[in-house]
Amino acid sequence: MKLAQLSARMAAPIAALVVAGLTATACAPESSDNSGGKDEKSGTLRVWLFQEVGNAPKEKVVDRVVTAFEKSHEGTKVDVQYIPVETRAEKIKAAFNDPKSAPDLIEYGNTDTAGYVKDGGLADVTEEFTDWSESKDTDPTAKQSVTVDGKIYGAPYFVGVRALYYRTDIFDELGLDVPKTQDELISTAKEIRQAKPDLYGLAVGGAYTYGAMPFIWANGGEIAQGKGGSYASTIDAPQAQKGIKAYTSLFGDDNCPADKCAGMGGNDTVTAFASGKAGMAIGGDFSHAAIEAGKVKGKYAVVPLPGVKSGDIAPAFAGGNNLGVLNSTSHRTLAVDLMEQLAGKKTQGALFDAMGFLPTFTDVRQDVAKREPFVEPFVKTLGAGAKFVPASPAWSQIDASLVLPTMFQEVVSGRKNVAAASKDAAKKMNAAFSSAG
């Protein structure tokens, strides 16, 4: 199995796709159905998928699906283009602005759903998704990532979550137990640092939003509450503040010095662990290849990130990508059918084997976990209940404006206390929610 492709794509699933969401939101028209009511049952279907680092394995899986689809749909051809991730924003903007040149089906980042729906770019496929026999096994959080105000705008394609990587050799040398609670995680990190001052106990980053959020969620906090245009930030609520305090307590000379760690993102923390500079790190299933290629190969293990109580698993952010039919398609029925074939159980299983993409179907995920042991802690994490970002078009603005990283960095630098920093972050978030309408 080839997992190297995942590191560039999934290490920061939000940041990697923010530009597309921002550009589309700023420039695309708010339209509904641009197809002119056409639903042609033959012709050419245009599909845009993301180009991976080392795209050949993905292409082979997709080619098999396309060949079978064309055979079962007489007079239909499928034209698949793999678009560079770096320039996808311009292409998606152009697609929304010029329906005549737009594809029928696209792959997109799951945090962009709400923004693309607001732009009128994605078709409402609630009825078809509900009638799809395989959809009943879709992970609830993955389904949430294609849902806006109760309507479904695509099919989940793959998902990625984070768990706790730890150095088995260091734990054995120091006689440490694997942490079972959040408090134990923090104390263990500091114990490693004290015994080995050349290491970070737990590598953390002030710019690592999705490494920090499990601490907030585990303490009962939320990013925001509401739906549609009525979201309001709750990042300054008492439960959220408790989680912020827990996470920011890891920045200091007794674990991860603020002057070195405040600016670190998720990739930086994984790199620190892979290079042997940390006793623990919060990394994704998509981080596996990078860590296997590092100095700690054969000297680490992975468990779900512990929650507040012993036996609890801290909720993780569910990153990943979706497939969606464009509103402007004149081949709606065919496009939905192909979407279901590309995002179906058989294809997701094949994509896991080819690329390491974690399936969004609970039964398929259990199957791959039996075949590939490294997946098990991530499957357990998903099974315990992962979390998603607010389904608001404002999220791209909030994320791109670094609202939450700024909050964490203000706290760890000592410029503001948790109450003041979280209150300021809530104000910025609410301004974004209001402007998104």
Side-chain angles (χ1 to χ4, degrees), residues 166-170 273 276 279 292 294-301:
Y166 70 95
R167 288 278 297 275
T168 52
D169 56 338
I170 291 175
F273 183 82
E292 277 288 289
K295 293 183 179 179
V296 300
K297 180 179 174 64
K299 297 184 288 187
Y300 73 91

Side-chain angles (χ1 to χ4, degrees), residues 257-328:
D259 60 345
K260 294 182 179 179
C261 302
M264 283 172 39
N267 282 347
D268 299 317
T269 63
V270 170
T271 298
F273 183 82
S275 61
K277 296 178 181 178
M280 297 182 287
I282 300 168
D285 54 286
F286 41 86
S287 306
H288 181 257
I291 292 172
E292 277 288 289
K295 293 183 179 179
V296 300
K297 180 179 174 64
K299 297 184 288 187
Y300 73 91
V302 187
V303 293
L305 189 68
V308 173
K309 297 179 181 178
S310 182
D312 285 354
I313 295 174
F317 165 70
N321 285 1
N322 300 328
L323 297 176
V325 174
L326 264 65
N327 245 331
S328 57

Side-chain angles (χ1 to χ4, degrees), residues 96 106 108 112-113 116-117 119-124 153-154 324-327:
F96 286 179
I106 62 168
Y108 66 94
D112 290 328
T113 306
Y116 288 177
V117 169
D119 299 336
L122 296 176
D124 176 355
Y153 293 90
V325 174
L326 264 65
N327 245 331

Side-chain angles (χ1 to χ4, degrees), residues 22 50 66 188 192 202 215 222 241 250 309 343 363 387:
L22 279 172
F50 289 152
V66 167
T188 300
I192 293 171
L202 171 64
F215 290 80
E222 295 288 348
Q241 289 187 5
L250 288 159
K309 297 179 181 178
D363 54 341
K387 294 274 193 174

Side-chain angles (χ1 to χ4, degrees), residues 170-171 174-177 184-197 199-202 254-255 280:
I170 291 175
F171 272 64
L174 300 180
L176 300 172
D177 294 326
E184 288 180 9
L185 174 66
I186 294 169
S187 63
T188 300
K190 295 181 178 181
E191 192 170 347
I192 293 171
R193 175 73 173 181
Q194 184 175 18
K196 294 183 175 292
L199 299 181
Y200 304 135
L202 171 64
D254 57 355
N255 177 57
M280 297 182 287

Side-chain angles (χ1 to χ4, degrees), residues 18-199:
V18 157
V19 178
L22 279 172
T23 307
T25 301
C27 303
E30 293 191 29
S31 57
S32 52
D33 186 355
N34 295 311
S35 67
K38 295 180 181 178
D39 187 12
E40 300 169 2
K41 302 301 192 293
S42 63
T44 299
L45 276 180
R46 298 182 64 208
V47 181
W48 288 356
L49 302 177
F50 289 152
Q51 184 173 348
E52 312 295 333
V53 178
N55 202 52
K58 181 178 182 178
E59 290 183 35
K60 288 181 180 179
V61 173
V62 171
D63 286 349
R64 286 197 294 269
V65 175
V66 167
T67 298
F69 184 86
E70 289 178 340
K71 286 183 178 178
S72 63
H73 295 80
E74 187 176 353
T76 299
K77 294 292 182 183
V78 178
D79 174 19
V80 180
Q81 294 183 31
Y82 292 90
I83 64 173
V85 177
E86 297 78 11
T87 58
R88 71 200 177 282
E90 292 84 355
K91 290 188 71 71
I92 292 174
K93 179 186 72 171
F96 286 179
N97 283 326
D98 184 10
K100 291 182 180 179
S101 65
D104 301 277
L105 182 66
I106 62 168
E107 178 179 356
Y108 66 94
N110 65 6
T111 60
D112 290 328
T113 306
Y116 288 177
V117 169
K118 182 187 178 185
D119 299 336
L122 296 176
D124 176 355
V125 295
T126 306
E127 184 177 350
E128 294 95 332
F129 186 89
T130 303
D131 290 343
W132 183 23
S133 62
E134 295 186 353
S135 69
K136 69 182 186 302
D137 296 318
T138 301
D139 175 86
T141 307
K143 184 178 179 181
Q144 183 185 351
S145 80
V146 293
T147 304
V148 178
D149 290 343
K151 296 180 180 179
I152 298 172
Y153 293 90
Y157 198 32
F158 65 86
V159 68
V161 291
R162 294 164 177 82
L164 180 67
Y165 286 77
Y166 70 95
R167 288 278 297 275
T168 52
D169 56 338
I170 291 175
F171 272 64
D172 289 343
E173 177 187 344
L174 300 180
L176 300 172
D177 294 326
V178 178
K180 293 184 174 61
T181 67
Q182 193 175 92
D183 285 343
E184 288 180 9
L185 174 66
I186 294 169
S187 63
T188 300
K190 295 181 178 181
E191 192 170 347
I192 293 171
R193 175 73 173 181
Q194 184 175 18
K196 294 183 175 292
D198 57 328
L199 299 181

